[in-house]
Amino acid sequence: MTNEPRRRRSADRANKGSTAIPQLPLQALRNPYKPMEILSADQVEAIHSAAVHILEKFGIEVMSPRALALFEKAGAKVNHATQTVHVDRAMVDEALKTAPSSFTLTPRNPERVVRLGGDALNFTLVAGPPNVHDLERGRRPGNLRDYCDLIRLAQHFNCITMLGNQVCAPVELPANSRHLDTYHANLTLTDKSFHVSAIGRGRALDGIEMMAIARGMSLEEMRESPALTTIISVNSPRRFDDAMADGLMTMSEHGQAVCITPFTLMGAMSPVTLAGALAQQNAEALFGVVLSQLVRPGAPVIYGAFTSNVDMRSGAPAFGTPENTKANIASGQLARRYRLPYRTTNGSASNAADAQGAYETLMSLWGAVLGHCNLIYHAAGWQEGGLTASFEKFIIDVEMIQHMIETLRPIEVNDAELALDALGRVPTGGHFFGEAHTLERYSTAFYQPMLSNWQNFESWQEAGSLDATQRATRLWKKALEDFVEPALDPARREALDAYVAKRREAIGAGEP
Amino acid sequence: MTNEPRRRRSADRANKGSTAIPQLPLQALRNPYKPMEILSADQVEAIHSAAVHILEKFGIEVMSPRALALFEKAGAKVNHATQTVHVDRAMVDEALKTAPSSFTLTPRNPERVVRLGGDALNFTLVAGPPNVHDLERGRRPGNLRDYCDLIRLAQHFNCITMLGNQVCAPVELPANSRHLDTYHANLTLTDKSFHVSAIGRGRALDGIEMMAIARGMSLEEMRESPALTTIISVNSPRRFDDAMADGLMTMSEHGQAVCITPFTLMGAMSPVTLAGALAQQNAEALFGVVLSQLVRPGAPVIYGAFTSNVDMRSGAPAFGTPENTKANIASGQLARRYRLPYRTTNGSASNAADAQGAYETLMSLWGAVLGHCNLIYHAAGWQEGGLTASFEKFIIDVEMIQHMIETLRPIEVNDAELALDALGRVPTGGHFFGEAHTLERYSTAFYQPMLSNWQNFESWQEAGSLDATQRATRLWKKALEDFVEPALDPARREALDAYVAKRREAIGAGEP
């Protein structure tokens, strides 16, 4: 971690004396250790070769005439009857030459810049659930009020370094223009980078235009200083639909990042074996990388992984399983094979913010971290396999993420830390509570959790025997109370309002 | 993992059609990946040097005249007034030459043999809590009935490869003879290795004698084929009390294993810094290693680690914290520096078997696994920082341990696993459910959890909206119903009964 002990201390001091929830300071997160390798070099190459075989022999269906034309022009074999593109090894290698190994995304607040690639580590708010849940109000369809509260929480906690795509679908708003409302909320209630919706050209472009307004920039300037990314969800197996292909091309044209994420659920959209699913994931991700580089060589692109298994008795997706955890580690080896930034997910299929939610999420989180993932998507708030954004789960996840960040902070070893003076002074069987070495450090020596309860049983019982999930309710409420809306230049805000009004009207009149 | 796909499949078949709780088969657990290194080689040496400084300059208090005499005879500087022993670098190096880098413990069922050292991995039942808890009966003092139920659970689940010391204190039994009752239960209700209580010579010897009876062996044969281990808990800082030193010497004399475990709670019994706590842990552990090798060169000994932090506001111990997780990884580097088997713990301070219990335990479990721990003590059932053995937590922990074991199973990559035939056959946007490649493998392709619920929300709600903790209640009850007492030769059982009767009488008459 690059966070300095000094910065940490001052943040802890800032927490002290106030009633604020303790949290880690704003910092550029890094993973300083060697990535774990669970595939041998030979195995990585075998999976790569299988992926090239898929691309060359089986091909990828692309439902976008524009994309088909691009591939054909670049020399790919295109079967127009089946809309299938066959990309060869040379074309993949060519794309990998121009795709950047790392890049930054700069939102309207440049202090919130996000680095992707290398040993950078980022965590996003859950994205995409149709439902919302908290312990007091129960489960309900996504809506703008909850949307805004959830992104306020993501803004409040420093360890959430960017927002994903819509944290929940605000279903009371018209489907064809609700992206304007959510972008507007993202740009006014937060100052972090976010994922635009790239279902079609229009939604992507609206995100880019609105971020440019919020940054006070032209689209040309934004092209050289990207701020946004999007998830291109492949319709696995081997299909890029029209809207996603167009979204991808729009983002790449404008120099914004795309993350190509095959959805390779083993046994359903992928072979039941990890090797087969990883080969397919690789083929589909590389195909998207090639498309991005055909649109604009050097366009920022992320290797996305989402390999997990299904419950073979019901076909239901499962997350945080051993297979998912292994895929998270192995996918990092594949992304590094291509020198591409790497995205994956920590998830759970649990219907509650309970022990299962915690262990499934933490298993896949460790897999992602050991795989040196740069962008851990859906990192906070994911419940029910992604069908629900949970307020309590958000708090539990932030706590687990903070544990992980602190675990990655290197151990200092020097004379002061070795404490031989104190060790020689404290008598055998004695204690260190009163030692100067302890007193000088005790207030900042350890990570201070917000959710963990370390009371003895009797005190805990007197305080109501609240479990972690019940305590999380208090914490998200407190964080919403403490939320501070980040300042935004009034002229830019006005321009954003105007953009939304104009586009809403245009969309109402049938424009895309 | 050495578990063969074949064995796993047959175990799965054995589960199938029956109502048994699915679980992993009996297998020799291995960690096949490289250990994580969070200390540099220089940092490891600095911590080692600091430990030697502590041993040479500050010394260790040993409250046992026998041990003091042994050290003195071996050339250590002994201050009899303070009972302090000063061991130098050469004496440490000498002990490390004879201490074995790995060994086995063979209980009465040789199939349950436990390997310690190298890449072996073992998980034990929680040990030592004064209290017991389950959701239905609440919290209560330890007692023999719960003791027996908890060790039945440990016997039932294959991933628990040995028992710890007393899973709970059966407080209704006389304190000076209850070890006879618990050993008897261990040897009749289970056929796994266990930890004896080494508080004094008598308790250790009773364990050794009773295991010898159960194996049909003499003490001389047991000396060459160890079956047991014990935890020597150092009274940190720098004190070995009389009972523990005598227990250690008794075990080593009889060729049984000892695990030297300093209890280095940062800020309380140790410096507030990780480097200082690790240096102290190292010094105390190495001191115990030296003592074991003075008693009997080649006696099996384990490097124990138990470095965590306290809550600096209350002084209460915390577990599963980032500091604890880092200590678990770093301690593995230290143990490997000495080529000694490594023991640590996964713990939690949570008062409930809730999300906190899960994430704290899983954080420290990952630390232990990444540190290549050979003996993960208290691995299942630990609650309230070790003050309570919890039935529900036991089930949650077994589930997390099984997740970990399956995550450590290497990915196979070959033509059959890469599944290119199936990948070429399934149409774009199609699915793999009906593919021969899937059908041939689906029933054994994925780890099948016992606790995780992957139902959709509506089905889960109809089934009563039970969270993982509530579902765990059903599982431990079912496991107790399904429990099968392992066969024991009636003559040996009779001999065990007679030994207990004789010793109970002798202890009653004042014998040690």
Side-chain angles (χ1 to χ4, degrees), chain B residues 176-189:
Chain B
N176 58 1
S177 67
R178 65 171 76 126
H179 63 283
L180 297 170
D181 303 285
T182 59
Y183 293 159
H184 188 272
N186 291 352
L187 287 166
T188 53
L189 298 178

Side-chain angles (χ1 to χ4, degrees), chain A residues 115-259:
Chain A
R115 175 163 290 282
L116 293 164
D119 60 4
L121 184 58
N122 292 282
F123 300 95
T124 77
L125 183 61
V126 61
N131 304 302
V132 182
H133 183 273
D134 70 73
L135 272 193
E136 293 188 349
R137 292 169 292 182
R139 192 170 182 259
R140 51 201 184 268
N143 60 84
L144 191 63
R145 183 184 156 182
D146 284 320
Y147 183 101
C148 292
D149 279 347
L150 285 162
I151 66 172
R152 284 184 180 105
L153 291 175
Q155 171 71 11
H156 183 79
F157 287 100
N158 294 315
C159 68
I160 305 300
T161 47
M162 61 197 304
L163 312 185
N165 192 9
Q166 295 177 356
V167 58
C168 63
V171 295
E172 77 276 30
L173 301 177
N176 59 1
S177 66
R178 65 171 74 127
H179 64 283
L180 298 169
D181 304 284
T182 60
Y183 293 158
H184 189 270
N186 292 352
L187 288 166
T188 53
L189 297 178
T190 92
D191 58 6
K192 297 186 181 183
S193 177
F194 60 90
H195 289 233
V196 301
S197 172
I199 303 174
R201 184 173 181 78
R203 287 186 177 87
L205 209 50
D206 283 333
I208 298 168
E209 295 260 20
M210 289 174 71
M211 178 59 93
I213 292 167
R215 291 177 74 189
M217 274 189 178
S218 68
L219 290 195
E220 289 64 40
E221 287 167 324
M222 274 272 287
R223 191 172 284 137
E224 303 309 318
S225 169
L228 297 165
T229 185
T230 190
I231 300 288
I232 301 297
S233 293
V234 182
N235 288 0
S236 303
R238 296 188 294 114
R239 178 186 278 166
F240 279 63
D241 74 18
D242 194 17
M244 279 295 177
D246 280 353
L248 185 159
M249 289 186 286
T250 306
M251 292 290 281
S252 293
E253 271 166 28
H254 288 83
Q256 304 305 304
V258 294
C259 174

Side-chain angles (χ1 to χ4, degrees), chain B residues 73-89:
Chain B
K73 192 177 144 205
K77 205 179 88 191
V78 174
N79 181 332
H80 286 277
T82 60
Q83 299 184 304
T84 305
V85 178
H86 298 262
V87 157
D88 66 11
R89 190 181 288 259

Side-chain angles (χ1 to χ4, degrees), chain B residues 79-256:
Chain B
N79 181 332
H80 286 277
T82 60
Q83 299 184 304
T84 305
V85 178
H86 298 262
V87 157
D88 66 11
R89 190 181 288 259
M91 201 177 271
V92 170
D93 289 344
E94 201 56 38
L96 291 172
K97 274 186 208 155
T98 56
S101 60
S102 82
F103 56 85
T104 53
L105 299 176
T106 308
R108 70 173 174 92
N109 177 353
E111 282 186 22
R112 306 285 197 184
V113 64
V114 163
R115 174 164 290 283
L116 293 165
D119 61 3
L121 184 59
N122 291 282
F123 301 94
T124 78
L125 183 61
V126 60
N131 303 301
V132 181
H133 184 272
D134 70 73
L135 273 193
E136 293 188 349
R137 293 170 291 182
R139 191 170 184 261
R140 53 201 182 268
N143 60 84
L144 190 63
R145 185 186 154 178
D146 284 321
Y147 183 99
C148 291
D149 279 347
L150 286 162
I151 65 171
R152 285 185 180 104
L153 291 176
Q155 171 71 9
H156 184 79
F157 288 100
N158 295 314
C159 67
I160 305 301
T161 48
M162 61 198 304
L163 311 185
N165 192 9
Q166 296 178 356
V167 58
C168 64
V171 294
E172 78 276 30
L173 301 178
N176 58 1
S177 67
R178 65 171 76 126
H179 63 283
L180 297 170
D181 303 285
T182 59
Y183 293 159
H184 188 272
N186 291 352
L187 287 166
T188 53
L189 298 178
T190 91
D191 58 7
K192 297 185 180 182
S193 178
F194 60 91
H195 289 233
V196 301
S197 171
I199 303 174
R201 184 174 181 77
R203 288 186 177 85
L205 209 50
D206 283 333
I208 298 169
E209 295 260 18
M210 289 175 70
M211 179 59 94
I213 293 169
R215 289 177 76 189
M217 273 187 177
S218 67
L219 290 195
E220 290 63 42
E221 287 166 326
M222 274 272 288
R223 191 173 284 135
E224 302 309 317
S225 171
L228 298 164
T229 185
T230 190
I231 300 289
I232 301 298
S233 294
V234 183
N235 288 0
S236 304
R238 300 188 290 114
R239 177 185 281 167
F240 279 63
D241 72 20
D242 194 17
M244 279 296 178
D246 281 352
L248 185 160
M249 289 186 286
T250 306
M251 292 291 281
S252 292
E253 272 166 28
H254 287 85
Q256 305 304 305

Side-chain angles (χ1 to χ4, degrees), chain A residues 31 121-124 319-321 324-325 328-329 342 344-348 357-373 375-380 396-405 408, chain B residues 359 362-363 366:
Chain A
N31 185 344
L121 184 58
N122 292 282
F123 300 95
T124 77
F319 303 98
T321 62
N324 183 206
T325 303
N328 279 356
I329 302 170
Y342 166 40
T344 191
T345 284
N346 56 328
S348 159
Y359 68 70
E360 287 184 337
T361 301
L362 192 49
M363 283 301 293
S364 45
L365 178 60
W366 266 105
V369 167
L370 293 171
H372 267 224
C373 181
L375 172 59
I376 303 184
Y377 202 64
H378 301 300
I396 295 170
D397 288 343
V398 166
E399 185 63 280
M400 295 196 291
I401 289 166
Q402 294 200 135
H403 270 67
M404 187 63 79
I405 290 170
L408 293 175
Chain B
Y359 68 70
L362 192 48
M363 283 302 291
W366 266 104

Side-chain angles (χ1 to χ4, degrees), chain A residues 9 31-32 43 86 89 95 111 142 181 185 212 222 225 246 260 279 307 312 324 345 354 379 399 417 507:
Chain A
R9 272 196 276 276
N31 185 344
Q43 288 181 318
H86 298 262
R89 189 181 289 259
E111 283 187 20
D181 304 284
M222 274 272 287
S225 169
D246 280 353
I260 318 296
T307 293
M312 287 307 295
N324 183 206
T345 284
D354 62 351
E399 185 63 280
E417 295 281 313
I507 289 169

Side-chain angles (χ1 to χ4, degrees), chain B residues 427-443:
Chain B
T428 58
H431 64 75
F432 289 73
F433 285 119
E435 274 301 298
H437 184 269
T438 307
L439 294 174
E440 286 160 11
R441 293 167 177 81
Y442 86 91
S443 67

Side-chain angles (χ1 to χ4, degrees), chain A residues 61 268 273 417 428 432 471, chain B residues 61 268 273 356 417 428 432 471:
Chain A
E61 182 185 8
T273 48
E417 295 281 313
T428 58
F432 289 74
R471 296 194 302 271
Chain B
E61 182 185 9
T273 47
Q356 179 189 340
E417 295 282 312
T428 58
F432 289 73
R471 295 193 303 272

